[in-house]
Amino acid sequence: MVTTVSLYVPEDGAEYTMELPLQEKPHRFAHCDGLVLMPTDTVAHVVNPATRRVLTLPWSPNGVAPKFRFHAFHTHQVFGIGHDPRSDTYTVARFFFSSLDLLPTDAYRYNYGMEVFTIGVDRCWHETEVKPPYPAHIGRTATFFKGSLFWTIDEQKLTQEIPNSVGESAPGFLRFRLEDESFSVTPPPPCCRGLRYTTSHMAELRGELSVAHAGPKYESIEIWMCNDVDANPPRWNRRYTFNTVCLLKDPLVESQYVLSMPVFASPTSSQGHCWHR
């Protein structure tokens, strides 16, 4: 089966159409410095729209969905792509679930890991020496920012791993540094106490890490931005607020829509009856 993929390049107004052998349902795309990561359930492609070159990454056993005894995921993996400034290389990372255990307490224990492939260097994927400390939400592609990939932590699986727990909150965003393959947790904006992955969305905007999150009573969407994630704690600033009456009714769709709006290319364009700074 061949799937036709169209990529629009706004700089020159051109649309590039490529045919890729996508045998499975594609995942959400990711991008970094013009490179586009196009993963599926079984294979991942890295596309350079400017040259129309396509790199198909090698097969990995971690790309094969495990057959769990007590549970089945819609998919078991999520990807990200980023640039390592130390080595001046591009790396693709895959977070994956490997197995699921049912504990005597009737709680679940999810086993997961991370593997990476550095373009132009590696011939095969390799797993990181240290395991991720938290499970990533498999519905969210990683966001690249200043040498690190950021994933949303899956709160639902945190709850399932703890018996009789209700509303277990994620401590922040899972951060993966490409230069040394280390993990840490980046605290969320102060608006996100009890961060809910279903009502937030992350992106890099104008050189800052940005989080769109539903405001009080879901009546607004707040945009919080940070340019120094290494500060302790990170310096988050609420930059914009949208009135959701002008948008949609689904907070997740709203937050994704807001972070994709071209109006954010100019911070001086923040005038209007629907939103304000």
Side-chain angles (χ1 to χ4, degrees):
M1 181 178 70
V2 175
T3 298
T4 300
V5 178
S6 296
L7 300 174
Y8 177 74
V9 181
E11 284 77 7
D12 54 13
E15 181 177 1
Y16 300 98
T17 300
M18 292 167 287
E19 291 186 345
L20 297 176
L22 302 178
Q23 305 297 331
E24 304 267 347
K25 180 181 178 180
H27 293 218
R28 292 185 177 183
F29 296 171
H31 61 88
C32 179
D33 296 343
L35 297 179
V36 181
L37 174 64
M38 306 171 68
T40 72
D41 286 339
T42 59
V43 67
H45 305 281
V46 177
V47 181
N48 187 335
T51 62
R52 302 195 182 190
R53 294 183 60 184
V54 179
L55 172 65
T56 300
L57 303 187
W59 178 86
S60 168
N62 294 318
V64 180
K67 296 181 179 179
F68 294 137
R69 182 178 179 183
F70 305 105
H71 182 77
F73 289 107
H74 174 67
T75 183
H76 74 291
Q77 57 189 343
V78 64
F79 294 83
I81 184 172
H83 177 254
D84 180 0
R86 184 186 62 174
S87 60
D88 194 24
T89 56
Y90 290 89
T91 296
V92 177
R94 182 206 317 258
F95 175 93
F96 61 91
F97 286 96
S98 57
S99 62
L100 176 67
D101 300 328
L102 179 61
L103 305 178
T105 57
D106 291 331
Y108 295 117
R109 179 175 62 216
Y110 294 87
N111 301 307
Y112 39 81
M114 185 79 72
E115 65 178 3
V116 298
F117 182 88
T118 300
I119 299 174
V121 177
D122 292 336
R123 294 187 176 182
C124 59
W125 296 81
H126 70 270
E127 291 190 40
T128 59
E129 294 184 3
V130 179
K131 300 293 184 182
Y134 293 98
H137 179 39
I138 56 178
R140 298 290 182 86
T141 301
T143 297
F144 174 71
F145 181 71
K146 292 186 177 180
S148 296
L149 292 171
F150 293 83
W151 275 275
T152 301
I153 294 174
D154 194 327
E155 293 174 301
Q156 182 180 8
K157 291 180 177 58
L158 287 180
T159 299
Q160 291 172 336
E161 289 184 349
I162 303 174
N164 302 320
S165 63
V166 177
E168 178 69 13
S169 298
F173 296 101
L174 178 63
R175 180 181 183 181
F176 178 59
R177 296 176 183 267
L178 298 180
E179 64 176 8
D180 58 4
E181 299 183 2
S182 64
F183 294 96
S184 61
V185 175
T186 296
C191 69
C192 300
R193 183 179 181 184
L195 177 68
R196 296 299 167 189
Y197 62 88
T198 55
T199 59
S200 65
H201 190 74
M202 175 181 285
E204 185 272 331
L205 294 174
R206 294 180 59 84
E208 294 185 82
L209 189 63
S210 305
V211 173
H213 190 275
K217 300 181 180 180
Y218 298 99
E219 295 177 349
S220 64
I221 295 293
E222 299 178 351
I223 308 296
W224 292 73
M225 304 182 72
C226 176
N227 60 12
D228 187 5
V229 293
D230 292 317
N232 188 19
R235 300 184 181 92
W236 291 99
N237 296 295
R238 185 173 61 183
R239 195 73 53 83
Y240 306 96
T241 300
F242 276 75
N243 184 347
T244 58
V245 173
C246 303
L247 300 174
L248 307 171
K249 298 300 182 183
D250 187 334
L252 172 59
V253 176
E254 288 171 351
S255 63
Q256 293 175 333
Y257 172 73
V258 167
L259 279 184
S260 65
M261 290 181 68
V263 71
F264 281 102
S266 175
T268 61
S269 303
S270 56
Q271 303 297 325
H273 68 282
C274 292
W275 61 293
H276 57 86
R277 294 182 69 176

